[in-house]
Amino acid sequence: MEVSRIIRGSEEKCFSILMASLLEDIEAAEGKKVKLEDIGKGYNYTKQLQNKLGKAGTIRVTIVEIDSPSVYKASFESAQGVNTLSYILEKVDDTHFKLTYNEEFLSDKKSNNLNYGLMSKLYKRSNKKKANLVLNQIETLVQE
């Protein structure tokens, strides 16, 4: 699933917001502060998440690509498979940039891939709504 939006502001500010969120996530998961300079491609950490049924699971988060201020891509590996999220920032003009959010899922198990494909079609509208809410929040923060 991919959602894009043109936002008024700078890619640098948006990227710094994404990085602040990443640093907070790492601190919450590991209980220690990490410097942005220490994070690069291949950096990983584990965190605990609960699914919709309240079942806890361990997720391994790996930074796939990080290139300030244009790309942030991370994979979230669980027992079900690997969910990859990316934010691509492209300059449009002096006062605007395009932010593209992309989410993909891949599993070693064919049944998980088929299930994800089917469920993503059923929840396409809901998933796009959630992605747009994320972009709305980012846009609000960039314009503050």
Side-chain angles (χ1 to χ4, degrees):
M1 174 194 51
E2 185 174 288
V3 179
S4 294
R5 173 156 325 148
I6 304 293
I7 297 176
R8 187 174 43 91
S10 72
E11 325 72 297
E12 290 82 5
K13 183 169 183 184
C14 181
F15 197 81
S16 71
I17 291 166
L18 294 173
M19 293 303 98
S21 176
L22 173 62
L23 291 173
E24 287 175 17
D25 192 49
I26 293 169
E27 184 177 353
E30 296 190 328
K32 63 179 183 180
K33 287 189 181 249
V34 177
K35 295 179 183 172
L36 193 53
E37 304 83 57
D38 298 333
I39 300 172
K41 183 178 179 178
Y43 182 91
N44 63 72
Y45 61 100
T46 57
K47 64 191 235 175
Q48 296 293 317
L49 288 180
Q50 285 190 351
N51 67 14
K52 292 175 184 171
L53 303 174
K55 236 175 137 180
T58 301
I59 307 293
R60 180 183 176 94
V61 182
T62 303
I63 305 302
V64 176
E65 187 176 351
I66 189 166
D67 183 18
S68 178
S70 54
V71 179
Y72 167 59
K73 186 174 188 178
S75 67
F76 300 78
E77 186 177 351
S78 69
Q80 288 72 39
V82 179
N83 205 354
T84 304
L85 306 177
S86 67
Y87 293 90
I88 312 273
L89 298 90
E90 303 170 75
K91 188 177 187 88
V92 172
D93 59 31
D94 288 342
T95 57
H96 296 84
F97 66 96
K98 179 180 177 184
L99 175 59
T100 303
Y101 171 85
N102 193 341
E103 186 176 329
E104 300 170 351
F105 177 80
L106 190 58
S107 176
D108 291 339
K109 299 176 186 171
K110 222 176 199 177
S111 60
N112 284 354
N113 287 328
L114 289 171
N115 185 47
Y116 177 79
L118 176 64
M119 297 309 285
S120 65
K121 285 182 179 144
L122 290 173
Y123 290 105
K124 183 177 182 179
R125 186 172 177 196
S126 171
N127 290 340
K128 278 212 180 228
K129 228 177 179 177
K130 287 178 188 174
N132 274 309
L133 283 173
V134 169
L135 294 183
N136 286 345
Q137 291 172 335
I138 292 170
E139 183 172 21
T140 299
L141 291 170
V142 167
Q143 293 176 354
E144 286 182 345

